[in-house]
Amino acid sequence: RKEVEQDPGPFNVPEGATVAFNCTYSNSASQSFFWYRQDCRKEPKLLMSVYSSGNEDGRFTAQLNRASQYISLLIRDSKLSDSATYLCVALLYGQNFVFGPGTRLSVLP
Amino acid sequence: NAGVTQTPKFQVLKTGQSMTLQCAQDMNHEYMSWYRQDPGMGLRLIHYSVGAGITDQGEVPNGYNVSRSTTEDFPLRLLSAAPSQTSVYFCASSYNGLPGYTFGSGTRLTVV
């Protein structure tokens, strides 16, 4: 079983739609969590950290449920520019970041 | 401020050749790592370093060596290239793990 699992995707949604990505992690000792965005043939870039209390950054909302070992990312009013692969990441300890396989999003005009 | 710089961007090797992928950061980050990314596999950790003179193995270290003689540089050496090492390689750095890594732009390596 992979340590970090994500919805396989791809997600194809119309502009303006709300889309939610789910992620589960297997190691309950995981300390911190992040969402990264990766454009085609580019490097991953940090989108946002995920806090237990939930956090919002504009149209993006991240939630963490430690009891269920579940992380989510909600994108509201999706734009064409949101098309990318979204990576869920767990920090186990030290510098041991574990990346999920990613979920690809295509926002269609 | 260049961030994380990787060279080369593209490389084609023949089986059995050796080479070094370069990575440098100018942010005085303590932590640096090398990942490989393959279709359907996500990013997998090869080696990492928590400071100059300290390195450790990640999930897929076989066939690769690293050293960290300075805070800025963290080269990755392929000892004897194999087709299975065809991949995209990313170097990343972080001050203390939070809020996450800064990645270089990647090296696309093909081993024929």
Side-chain angles (χ1 to χ4, degrees):
Chain A
R1 180 187 172 190
K2 291 182 181 176
E3 294 206 46
V4 176
E5 299 196 59
Q6 296 184 242
D7 289 339
F11 284 38
N12 298 313
V13 303
E15 267 188 293
T18 295
V19 60
F21 300 136
N22 300 316
C23 170
T24 57
Y25 60 96
S26 60
N27 192 326
S28 59
S30 300
Q31 299 174 358
S32 306
F33 305 91
F34 309 89
W35 283 101
Y36 277 74
R37 170 197 170 122
Q38 186 173 25
D39 293 297
C40 187
R41 301 179 73 83
K42 297 288 188 181
E43 71 273 22
K45 292 186 178 178
L46 180 65
L47 179 64
M48 58 197 304
S49 303
V50 186
Y51 304 117
S52 296
S53 55
N55 49 301
E56 188 173 308
D57 183 1
R59 298 181 292 108
F60 298 83
T61 301
Q63 294 278 354
L64 166 63
N65 184 322
R66 285 193 180 272
S68 302
Q69 296 182 196
Y70 169 88
I71 303 156
S72 66
L73 176 68
L74 184 76
I75 305 175
R76 292 181 299 278
D77 188 24
S78 52
K79 313 291 185 190
L80 295 176
S81 57
D82 293 333
S83 297
T85 297
Y86 291 83
L87 307 173
C88 176
V89 185
L91 174 60
L92 295 184
Y93 57 85
Q95 287 301 290
N96 193 357
F97 287 87
V98 180
F99 286 77
T103 301
R104 195 169 72 189
L105 171 66
S106 292
V107 180
L108 309 173
Chain B
N1 190 338
V4 179
T5 302
Q6 284 186 241
T7 56
K9 292 191 182 299
F10 302 93
Q11 183 70 49
V12 178
L13 289 179
K14 293 182 179 179
T15 298
Q17 286 185 315
S18 62
M19 79 160 295
T20 299
L21 307 185
Q22 302 291 344
C23 176
Q25 52 90 8
D26 60 359
M27 298 173 284
N28 201 31
H29 284 174
E30 298 177 5
Y31 301 103
M32 297 186 74
S33 297
W34 276 102
Y35 288 86
R36 61 177 289 174
Q37 187 172 36
D38 303 291
M41 300 291 292
L43 285 148
R44 292 182 292 169
L45 182 64
I46 305 171
H47 285 284
Y48 65 97
S49 169
V50 298
I54 307 169
T55 64
D56 208 344
Q57 296 181 351
E59 180 185 355
V60 288
N62 292 339
Y64 308 95
N65 273 356
V66 292
S67 60
R68 184 95 180 269
S69 56
T70 66
T71 299
E72 294 77 22
D73 299 299
F74 191 43
L76 177 72
R77 296 184 194 83
L78 278 71
L79 309 173
S80 177
S84 60
Q85 293 179 305
T86 294
S87 187
V88 181
Y89 291 84
F90 288 103
C91 178
S93 74
S94 166
Y95 176 64
N96 59 0
L98 300 172
Y101 272 128
T102 299
F103 282 84
S105 57
T107 297
R108 294 184 176 274
L109 175 69
T110 301
V111 182
V112 297

PDB file of all heavy atoms in Angstrom, chain A residues 2 32 34 36 38 41-44 46 49 87 95 97 99, chain B residues 31 35 37 40 43 90 97-101 103-105 108:
ATOM      1  N   LYS A   2       0.584   2.220  -0.884  1.00  0.00           N
ATOM      2  CA  LYS A   2       1.347   3.444  -0.925  1.00  0.00           C
ATOM      3  C   LYS A   2       1.102   4.251   0.339  1.00  0.00           C
ATOM      4  O   LYS A   2       0.010   4.232   0.900  1.00  0.00           O
ATOM      5  CB  LYS A   2       0.934   4.258  -2.151  1.00  0.00           C
ATOM      6  CG  LYS A   2       1.363   3.636  -3.469  1.00  0.00           C
ATOM      7  CD  LYS A   2       0.977   4.514  -4.634  1.00  0.00           C
ATOM      8  CE  LYS A   2       1.400   3.866  -5.936  1.00  0.00           C
ATOM      9  NZ  LYS A   2       0.958   4.666  -7.103  1.00  0.00           N
ATOM     10  N   SER A  32       3.438  16.867   9.074  1.00  0.00           N
ATOM     11  CA  SER A  32       2.936  18.040   8.353  1.00  0.00           C
ATOM     12  C   SER A  32       2.476  17.596   6.975  1.00  0.00           C
ATOM     13  O   SER A  32       2.899  16.550   6.475  1.00  0.00           O
ATOM     14  CB  SER A  32       4.034  19.101   8.207  1.00  0.00           C
ATOM     15  OG  SER A  32       4.595  19.442   9.440  1.00  0.00           O
ATOM     16  N   PHE A  34       1.084  19.018   2.915  1.00  0.00           N
ATOM     17  CA  PHE A  34       1.144  20.104   1.938  1.00  0.00           C
ATOM     18  C   PHE A  34       0.409  19.679   0.679  1.00  0.00           C
ATOM     19  O   PHE A  34       0.287  18.485   0.373  1.00  0.00           O
ATOM     20  CB  PHE A  34       2.611  20.399   1.560  1.00  0.00           C
ATOM     21  CG  PHE A  34       3.523  20.608   2.733  1.00  0.00           C
ATOM     22  CD1 PHE A  34       4.185  19.544   3.315  1.00  0.00           C
ATOM     23  CD2 PHE A  34       3.719  21.878   3.258  1.00  0.00           C
ATOM     24  CE1 PHE A  34       5.027  19.727   4.398  1.00  0.00           C
ATOM     25  CE2 PHE A  34       4.555  22.070   4.344  1.00  0.00           C
ATOM     26  CZ  PHE A  34       5.203  20.995   4.916  1.00  0.00           C
ATOM     27  N   TYR A  36       0.970  20.486  -3.380  1.00  0.00           N
ATOM     28  CA  TYR A  36       1.816  21.064  -4.407  1.00  0.00           C
ATOM     29  C   TYR A  36       1.055  21.032  -5.718  1.00  0.00           C
ATOM     30  O   TYR A  36       0.212  20.172  -5.956  1.00  0.00           O
ATOM     31  CB  TYR A  36       3.108  20.256  -4.584  1.00  0.00           C
ATOM     32  CG  TYR A  36       4.200  20.590  -3.596  1.00  0.00           C
ATOM     33  CD1 TYR A  36       4.110  20.180  -2.280  1.00  0.00           C
ATOM     34  CD2 TYR A  36       5.321  21.313  -3.987  1.00  0.00           C
ATOM     35  CE1 TYR A  36       5.117  20.488  -1.377  1.00  0.00           C
ATOM     36  CE2 TYR A  36       6.334  21.620  -3.092  1.00  0.00           C
ATOM     37  CZ  TYR A  36       6.221  21.200  -1.797  1.00  0.00           C
ATOM     38  OH  TYR A  36       7.214  21.502  -0.906  1.00  0.00           O
ATOM     39  N   GLN A  38       1.792  20.943  -9.927  1.00  0.00           N
ATOM     40  CA  GLN A  38       2.824  20.698 -10.932  1.00  0.00           C
ATOM     41  C   GLN A  38       2.223  20.863 -12.317  1.00  0.00           C
ATOM     42  O   GLN A  38       1.329  20.112 -12.705  1.00  0.00           O
ATOM     43  CB  GLN A  38       3.438  19.303 -10.784  1.00  0.00           C
ATOM     44  CG  GLN A  38       4.616  19.068 -11.723  1.00  0.00           C
ATOM     45  CD  GLN A  38       5.326  17.759 -11.462  1.00  0.00           C
ATOM     46  OE1 GLN A  38       4.754  16.813 -10.927  1.00  0.00           O
ATOM     47  NE2 GLN A  38       6.600  17.681 -11.833  1.00  0.00           N
ATOM     48  N   ARG A  41       5.466  19.211 -17.445  1.00  0.00           N
ATOM     49  CA  ARG A  41       6.892  19.323 -17.735  1.00  0.00           C
ATOM     50  C   ARG A  41       7.583  20.427 -16.925  1.00  0.00           C
ATOM     51  O   ARG A  41       8.590  20.988 -17.335  1.00  0.00           O
ATOM     52  CB  ARG A  41       7.124  19.532 -19.238  1.00  0.00           C
ATOM     53  CG  ARG A  41       6.561  18.404 -20.090  1.00  0.00           C
ATOM     54  CD  ARG A  41       6.783  18.635 -21.566  1.00  0.00           C
ATOM     55  NE  ARG A  41       8.186  18.447 -21.943  1.00  0.00           N
ATOM     56  CZ  ARG A  41       8.738  17.279 -22.205  1.00  0.00           C
ATOM     57  NH1 ARG A  41       8.032  16.164 -22.118  1.00  0.00           N
ATOM     58  NH2 ARG A  41      10.021  17.199 -22.547  1.00  0.00           N
ATOM     59  N   LYS A  42       7.003  20.714 -15.757  1.00  0.00           N
ATOM     60  CA  LYS A  42       7.591  21.706 -14.874  1.00  0.00           C
ATOM     61  C   LYS A  42       7.833  21.071 -13.507  1.00  0.00           C
ATOM     62  O   LYS A  42       7.418  19.956 -13.241  1.00  0.00           O
ATOM     63  CB  LYS A  42       6.652  22.901 -14.717  1.00  0.00           C
ATOM     64  CG  LYS A  42       6.398  23.664 -16.006  1.00  0.00           C
ATOM     65  CD  LYS A  42       7.608  24.446 -16.425  1.00  0.00           C
ATOM     66  CE  LYS A  42       7.294  25.361 -17.599  1.00  0.00           C
ATOM     67  NZ  LYS A  42       8.506  26.120 -18.027  1.00  0.00           N
ATOM     68  N   GLU A  43       8.519  21.843 -12.649  1.00  0.00           N
ATOM     69  CA  GLU A  43       8.760  21.340 -11.306  1.00  0.00           C
ATOM     70  C   GLU A  43       7.542  21.552 -10.417  1.00  0.00           C
ATOM     71  O   GLU A  43       6.745  22.466 -10.659  1.00  0.00           O
ATOM     72  CB  GLU A  43       9.990  22.035 -10.683  1.00  0.00           C
ATOM     73  CG  GLU A  43       9.785  23.490 -10.304  1.00  0.00           C
ATOM     74  CD  GLU A  43      10.051  24.447 -11.437  1.00  0.00           C
ATOM     75  OE1 GLU A  43       9.992  24.036 -12.627  1.00  0.00           O
ATOM     76  OE2 GLU A  43      10.307  25.622 -11.133  1.00  0.00           O
ATOM     77  N   PRO A  44       7.403  20.748  -9.363  1.00  0.00           N
ATOM     78  CA  PRO A  44       6.327  20.985  -8.396  1.00  0.00           C
ATOM     79  C   PRO A  44       6.552  22.306  -7.667  1.00  0.00           C
ATOM     80  O   PRO A  44       7.681  22.687  -7.376  1.00  0.00           O
ATOM     81  CB  PRO A  44       6.447  19.807  -7.419  1.00  0.00           C
ATOM     82  CG  PRO A  44       7.264  18.782  -8.129  1.00  0.00           C
ATOM     83  CD  PRO A  44       8.192  19.551  -9.020  1.00  0.00           C
ATOM     84  N   LEU A  46       4.966  24.648  -4.308  1.00  0.00           N
ATOM     85  CA  LEU A  46       4.108  24.608  -3.128  1.00  0.00           C
ATOM     86  C   LEU A  46       2.860  25.447  -3.357  1.00  0.00           C
ATOM     87  O   LEU A  46       2.944  26.629  -3.696  1.00  0.00           O
ATOM     88  CB  LEU A  46       4.881  25.127  -1.914  1.00  0.00           C
ATOM     89  CG  LEU A  46       4.119  25.159  -0.600  1.00  0.00           C
ATOM     90  CD1 LEU A  46       3.777  23.738  -0.154  1.00  0.00           C
ATOM     91  CD2 LEU A  46       4.936  25.868   0.464  1.00  0.00           C
ATOM     92  N   SER A  49       0.221  24.868   2.633  1.00  0.00           N
ATOM     93  CA  SER A  49       0.343  23.934   3.733  1.00  0.00           C
ATOM     94  C   SER A  49      -1.063  23.577   4.217  1.00  0.00           C
ATOM     95  O   SER A  49      -2.029  24.285   3.917  1.00  0.00           O
ATOM     96  CB  SER A  49       1.141  24.549   4.875  1.00  0.00           C
ATOM     97  OG  SER A  49       2.418  24.951   4.427  1.00  0.00           O
ATOM     98  N   LEU A  87      -0.434  17.493  -6.170  1.00  0.00           N
ATOM     99  CA  LEU A  87       0.286  16.475  -5.409  1.00  0.00           C
ATOM    100  C   LEU A  87       0.027  16.667  -3.921  1.00  0.00           C
ATOM    101  O   LEU A  87       0.204  17.769  -3.394  1.00  0.00           O
ATOM    102  CB  LEU A  87       1.795  16.576  -5.665  1.00  0.00           C
ATOM    103  CG  LEU A  87       2.249  16.555  -7.123  1.00  0.00           C
ATOM    104  CD1 LEU A  87       3.753  16.827  -7.193  1.00  0.00           C
ATOM    105  CD2 LEU A  87       1.932  15.227  -7.758  1.00  0.00           C
ATOM    106  N   GLN A  95      13.385  15.105   7.052  1.00  0.00           N
ATOM    107  CA  GLN A  95      13.160  15.568   5.693  1.00  0.00           C
ATOM    108  C   GLN A  95      12.525  14.496   4.833  1.00  0.00           C
ATOM    109  O   GLN A  95      12.644  14.510   3.626  1.00  0.00           O
ATOM    110  CB  GLN A  95      14.480  16.013   5.065  1.00  0.00           C
ATOM    111  CG  GLN A  95      14.955  17.311   5.634  1.00  0.00           C
ATOM    112  CD  GLN A  95      13.933  18.403   5.413  1.00  0.00           C
ATOM    113  OE1 GLN A  95      13.711  18.859   4.304  1.00  0.00           O
ATOM    114  NE2 GLN A  95      13.282  18.842   6.484  1.00  0.00           N
ATOM    115  N   PHE A  97       9.865  13.600   3.123  1.00  0.00           N
ATOM    116  CA  PHE A  97       8.608  13.974   2.476  1.00  0.00           C
ATOM    117  C   PHE A  97       8.154  12.816   1.597  1.00  0.00           C
ATOM    118  O   PHE A  97       8.936  12.281   0.829  1.00  0.00           O
ATOM    119  CB  PHE A  97       8.801  15.196   1.575  1.00  0.00           C
ATOM    120  CG  PHE A  97       8.984  16.480   2.314  1.00  0.00           C
ATOM    121  CD1 PHE A  97      10.238  16.889   2.726  1.00  0.00           C
ATOM    122  CD2 PHE A  97       7.900  17.295   2.566  1.00  0.00           C
ATOM    123  CE1 PHE A  97      10.406  18.079   3.404  1.00  0.00           C
ATOM    124  CE2 PHE A  97       8.058  18.497   3.235  1.00  0.00           C
ATOM    125  CZ  PHE A  97       9.311  18.892   3.656  1.00  0.00           C
ATOM    126  N   PHE A  99       5.450  11.841  -1.326  1.00  0.00           N
ATOM    127  CA  PHE A  99       4.547  12.434  -2.300  1.00  0.00           C
ATOM    128  C   PHE A  99       3.518  11.410  -2.773  1.00  0.00           C
ATOM    129  O   PHE A  99       3.847  10.252  -3.027  1.00  0.00           O
ATOM    130  CB  PHE A  99       5.334  12.926  -3.515  1.00  0.00           C
ATOM    131  CG  PHE A  99       6.111  14.178  -3.271  1.00  0.00           C
ATOM    132  CD1 PHE A  99       7.298  14.148  -2.563  1.00  0.00           C
ATOM    133  CD2 PHE A  99       5.650  15.388  -3.755  1.00  0.00           C
ATOM    134  CE1 PHE A  99       8.016  15.316  -2.334  1.00  0.00           C
ATOM    135  CE2 PHE A  99       6.364  16.563  -3.531  1.00  0.00           C
ATOM    136  CZ  PHE A  99       7.545  16.522  -2.815  1.00  0.00           C
TER     137      PHE A  99
ATOM    138  N   TYR B  31      18.514  21.740   4.272  1.00  0.00           N
ATOM    139  CA  TYR B  31      18.041  20.455   3.774  1.00  0.00           C
ATOM    140  C   TYR B  31      18.006  20.448   2.251  1.00  0.00           C
ATOM    141  O   TYR B  31      17.478  21.361   1.632  1.00  0.00           O
ATOM    142  CB  TYR B  31      16.641  20.171   4.304  1.00  0.00           C
ATOM    143  CG  TYR B  31      16.567  20.137   5.808  1.00  0.00           C
ATOM    144  CD1 TYR B  31      16.049  21.210   6.518  1.00  0.00           C
ATOM    145  CD2 TYR B  31      17.025  19.039   6.515  1.00  0.00           C
ATOM    146  CE1 TYR B  31      15.987  21.185   7.885  1.00  0.00           C
ATOM    147  CE2 TYR B  31      16.968  19.005   7.888  1.00  0.00           C
ATOM    148  CZ  TYR B  31      16.447  20.086   8.576  1.00  0.00           C
ATOM    149  OH  TYR B  31      16.392  20.050   9.930  1.00  0.00           O
ATOM    150  N   TYR B  35      15.032  13.753  -5.985  1.00  0.00           N
ATOM    151  CA  TYR B  35      13.886  12.910  -6.296  1.00  0.00           C
ATOM    152  C   TYR B  35      13.946  12.510  -7.766  1.00  0.00           C
ATOM    153  O   TYR B  35      14.480  13.239  -8.590  1.00  0.00           O
ATOM    154  CB  TYR B  35      12.564  13.653  -6.075  1.00  0.00           C
ATOM    155  CG  TYR B  35      12.200  13.900  -4.633  1.00  0.00           C
ATOM    156  CD1 TYR B  35      12.678  15.013  -3.950  1.00  0.00           C
ATOM    157  CD2 TYR B  35      11.360  13.021  -3.950  1.00  0.00           C
ATOM    158  CE1 TYR B  35      12.339  15.245  -2.631  1.00  0.00           C
ATOM    159  CE2 TYR B  35      11.010  13.248  -2.628  1.00  0.00           C
ATOM    160  CZ  TYR B  35      11.505  14.365  -1.981  1.00  0.00           C
ATOM    161  OH  TYR B  35      11.166  14.590  -0.670  1.00  0.00           O
ATOM    162  N   GLN B  37      11.121  11.287 -10.813  1.00  0.00           N
ATOM    163  CA  GLN B  37       9.693  11.243 -11.093  1.00  0.00           C
ATOM    164  C   GLN B  37       9.457  10.431 -12.346  1.00  0.00           C
ATOM    165  O   GLN B  37       9.972  10.752 -13.422  1.00  0.00           O
ATOM    166  CB  GLN B  37       9.113  12.650 -11.265  1.00  0.00           C
ATOM    167  CG  GLN B  37       7.602  12.660 -11.396  1.00  0.00           C
ATOM    168  CD  GLN B  37       7.023  14.061 -11.382  1.00  0.00           C
ATOM    169  OE1 GLN B  37       7.622  15.005 -11.905  1.00  0.00           O
ATOM    170  NE2 GLN B  37       5.849  14.225 -10.765  1.00  0.00           N
ATOM    171  N   GLY B  40       3.136   7.697 -13.331  1.00  0.00           N
ATOM    172  CA  GLY B  40       2.351   6.803 -12.483  1.00  0.00           C
ATOM    173  C   GLY B  40       2.981   6.473 -11.148  1.00  0.00           C
ATOM    174  O   GLY B  40       2.357   5.824 -10.315  1.00  0.00           O
ATOM    175  N   LEU B  43       6.766  11.207  -7.211  1.00  0.00           N
ATOM    176  CA  LEU B  43       8.145  11.558  -6.856  1.00  0.00           C
ATOM    177  C   LEU B  43       8.669  10.578  -5.816  1.00  0.00           C
ATOM    178  O   LEU B  43       8.008  10.336  -4.799  1.00  0.00           O
ATOM    179  CB  LEU B  43       8.193  12.979  -6.290  1.00  0.00           C
ATOM    180  CG  LEU B  43       8.052  14.084  -7.318  1.00  0.00           C
ATOM    181  CD1 LEU B  43       7.357  15.287  -6.723  1.00  0.00           C
ATOM    182  CD2 LEU B  43       9.423  14.473  -7.836  1.00  0.00           C
ATOM    183  N   PHE B  90      14.622  15.705  -9.950  1.00  0.00           N
ATOM    184  CA  PHE B  90      14.417  17.005  -9.320  1.00  0.00           C
ATOM    185  C   PHE B  90      15.273  17.095  -8.057  1.00  0.00           C
ATOM    186  O   PHE B  90      15.289  16.191  -7.228  1.00  0.00           O
ATOM    187  CB  PHE B  90      12.958  17.213  -8.923  1.00  0.00           C
ATOM    188  CG  PHE B  90      12.036  17.451 -10.082  1.00  0.00           C
ATOM    189  CD1 PHE B  90      11.204  16.443 -10.536  1.00  0.00           C
ATOM    190  CD2 PHE B  90      11.996  18.688 -10.708  1.00  0.00           C
ATOM    191  CE1 PHE B  90      10.348  16.659 -11.600  1.00  0.00           C
ATOM    192  CE2 PHE B  90      11.135  18.908 -11.775  1.00  0.00           C
ATOM    193  CZ  PHE B  90      10.312  17.890 -12.223  1.00  0.00           C
ATOM    194  N   GLY B  97      12.230  22.173   6.474  1.00  0.00           N
ATOM    195  CA  GLY B  97      11.116  21.285   6.165  1.00  0.00           C
ATOM    196  C   GLY B  97       9.793  22.002   6.083  1.00  0.00           C
ATOM    197  O   GLY B  97       8.838  21.496   5.543  1.00  0.00           O
ATOM    198  N   LEU B  98       9.702  23.189   6.646  1.00  0.00           N
ATOM    199  CA  LEU B  98       8.465  23.945   6.620  1.00  0.00           C
ATOM    200  C   LEU B  98       8.720  25.293   5.974  1.00  0.00           C
ATOM    201  O   LEU B  98       9.703  25.944   6.283  1.00  0.00           O
ATOM    202  CB  LEU B  98       7.923  24.132   8.048  1.00  0.00           C
ATOM    203  CG  LEU B  98       7.606  22.848   8.805  1.00  0.00           C
ATOM    204  CD1 LEU B  98       7.262  23.160  10.251  1.00  0.00           C
ATOM    205  CD2 LEU B  98       6.472  22.107   8.137  1.00  0.00           C
ATOM    206  N   PRO B  99       7.903  25.767   5.069  1.00  0.00           N
ATOM    207  CA  PRO B  99       6.635  25.172   4.642  1.00  0.00           C
ATOM    208  C   PRO B  99       6.765  24.230   3.468  1.00  0.00           C
ATOM    209  O   PRO B  99       5.849  24.083   2.686  1.00  0.00           O
ATOM    210  CB  PRO B  99       5.837  26.410   4.254  1.00  0.00           C
ATOM    211  CG  PRO B  99       6.865  27.321   3.683  1.00  0.00           C
ATOM    212  CD  PRO B  99       8.092  27.098   4.495  1.00  0.00           C
ATOM    213  N   GLY B 100       7.827  23.556   3.326  1.00  0.00           N
ATOM    214  CA  GLY B 100       7.956  22.610   2.235  1.00  0.00           C
ATOM    215  C   GLY B 100       9.172  22.922   1.390  1.00  0.00           C
ATOM    216  O   GLY B 100       9.972  23.801   1.687  1.00  0.00           O
ATOM    217  N   TYR B 101       9.318  22.170   0.338  1.00  0.00           N
ATOM    218  CA  TYR B 101      10.497  22.270  -0.496  1.00  0.00           C
ATOM    219  C   TYR B 101      10.353  23.290  -1.607  1.00  0.00           C
ATOM    220  O   TYR B 101       9.264  23.522  -2.115  1.00  0.00           O
ATOM    221  CB  TYR B 101      10.761  20.920  -1.173  1.00  0.00           C
ATOM    222  CG  TYR B 101      11.613  19.980  -0.370  1.00  0.00           C
ATOM    223  CD1 TYR B 101      11.198  18.687  -0.129  1.00  0.00           C
ATOM    224  CD2 TYR B 101      12.855  20.364   0.102  1.00  0.00           C
ATOM    225  CE1 TYR B 101      11.990  17.811   0.579  1.00  0.00           C
ATOM    226  CE2 TYR B 101      13.651  19.496   0.805  1.00  0.00           C
ATOM    227  CZ  TYR B 101      13.224  18.220   1.035  1.00  0.00           C
ATOM    228  OH  TYR B 101      14.015  17.355   1.724  1.00  0.00           O
ATOM    229  N   PHE B 103      11.773  23.431  -5.404  1.00  0.00           N
ATOM    230  CA  PHE B 103      12.344  22.501  -6.380  1.00  0.00           C
ATOM    231  C   PHE B 103      13.111  23.241  -7.461  1.00  0.00           C
ATOM    232  O   PHE B 103      12.765  24.379  -7.839  1.00  0.00           O
ATOM    233  CB  PHE B 103      11.232  21.696  -7.055  1.00  0.00           C
ATOM    234  CG  PHE B 103      10.705  20.573  -6.217  1.00  0.00           C
ATOM    235  CD1 PHE B 103       9.718  20.811  -5.265  1.00  0.00           C
ATOM    236  CD2 PHE B 103      11.194  19.288  -6.365  1.00  0.00           C
ATOM    237  CE1 PHE B 103       9.226  19.781  -4.487  1.00  0.00           C
ATOM    238  CE2 PHE B 103      10.711  18.254  -5.587  1.00  0.00           C
ATOM    239  CZ  PHE B 103       9.731  18.509  -4.647  1.00  0.00           C
ATOM    240  N   GLY B 104      14.132  22.565  -7.984  1.00  0.00           N
ATOM    241  CA  GLY B 104      14.769  23.012  -9.203  1.00  0.00           C
ATOM    242  C   GLY B 104      13.892  22.656 -10.389  1.00  0.00           C
ATOM    243  O   GLY B 104      12.872  21.969 -10.250  1.00  0.00           O
ATOM    244  N   SER B 105      14.290  23.089 -11.567  1.00  0.00           N
ATOM    245  CA  SER B 105      13.465  22.919 -12.767  1.00  0.00           C
ATOM    246  C   SER B 105      13.582  21.529 -13.373  1.00  0.00           C
ATOM    247  O   SER B 105      12.861  21.207 -14.312  1.00  0.00           O
ATOM    248  CB  SER B 105      13.829  23.970 -13.816  1.00  0.00           C
ATOM    249  OG  SER B 105      15.205  23.876 -14.131  1.00  0.00           O
ATOM    250  N   ARG B 108      15.960  16.100 -17.360  1.00  0.00           N
ATOM    251  CA  ARG B 108      15.350  14.963 -18.073  1.00  0.00           C
ATOM    252  C   ARG B 108      16.477  14.081 -18.601  1.00  0.00           C
ATOM    253  O   ARG B 108      17.221  14.501 -19.476  1.00  0.00           O
ATOM    254  CB  ARG B 108      14.469  15.459 -19.211  1.00  0.00           C
ATOM    255  CG  ARG B 108      13.279  16.220 -18.717  1.00  0.00           C
ATOM    256  CD  ARG B 108      12.325  16.646 -19.802  1.00  0.00           C
ATOM    257  NE  ARG B 108      11.176  17.298 -19.173  1.00  0.00           N
ATOM    258  CZ  ARG B 108      10.119  16.655 -18.712  1.00  0.00           C
ATOM    259  NH1 ARG B 108      10.046  15.337 -18.830  1.00  0.00           N
ATOM    260  NH2 ARG B 108       9.136  17.305 -18.144  1.00  0.00           N
TER     261      ARG B 108
END
